[in-house]
Amino acid sequence: MKIAVASEGKFVSGHFGHCEGFTVYEVEENKALKKDFIQNPGHRPGFLPDFLKQLGVNVVIAGGMGETAQQLFAQNNIDVIVGAEGYSDDVIQQYLKNELKSTGSICREHQHEGHCHE
């Protein structure tokens, strides 16, 4: 399984589409075996869900995410968790322990980049 965390440095990004990049964790038997940082190739409507699908991602974790992106992930059978915050490594451990729950929040405006989970 691959889990992509929208990231700003070592932290979960407040907004999926405008994040610095994605920390992609390869997980097996509830253990993170490997992680790689992939630079965000740029925000374009509908692009990032397809980009992450091509990387083999099964789950996406972010602070906030727009409705269209959430719908595109759902259409591709990729789980989305929004409302996450903190260190990416800690968030992955919470997910693996089934302690991370999505708030289901939807970002509707891009002006508040970085503040979607507030």
Side-chain angles (χ1 to χ4, degrees):
M1 172 191 290
K2 286 188 180 180
I3 303 169
V5 178
S7 303
E8 294 293 331
K10 295 180 181 183
F11 293 91
V12 177
S13 175
H15 193 282
F16 165 78
H18 297 283
C19 67
E20 177 185 349
F22 302 94
T23 306
V24 178
Y25 296 82
E26 290 189 35
V27 174
E28 194 172 295
E29 296 178 13
N30 278 341
K31 292 182 184 167
L33 303 178
K34 178 181 170 189
K35 74 176 177 179
D36 292 305
F37 182 80
I38 299 167
Q39 192 74 30
N40 185 341
H43 183 270
R44 300 187 299 275
F47 174 76
L48 290 174
D50 191 50
F51 173 76
L52 292 173
K53 178 184 177 186
Q54 290 177 15
L55 293 176
V57 169
N58 308 97
V59 178
V60 175
I61 299 172
M65 183 183 297
E67 184 173 19
T68 300
Q70 289 188 39
Q71 289 172 347
L72 290 170
F73 281 122
Q75 290 171 10
N76 288 299
N77 296 316
I78 297 173
D79 292 331
V80 171
I81 295 176
V82 291
E85 55 188 335
Y87 285 107
S88 297
D89 289 350
D90 292 346
V91 167
I92 284 296
Q93 291 307 312
Q94 290 172 354
Y95 178 82
L96 295 175
K97 293 175 185 174
N98 204 28
E99 296 172 354
L100 186 66
K101 304 296 179 202
S102 181
T103 63
S105 64
I106 296 173
C107 294
R108 300 192 188 281
E109 299 178 34
H110 289 98
Q111 300 91 298
H112 56 89
E113 176 181 338
H115 302 287
C116 293
H117 61 282
E118 293 179 355

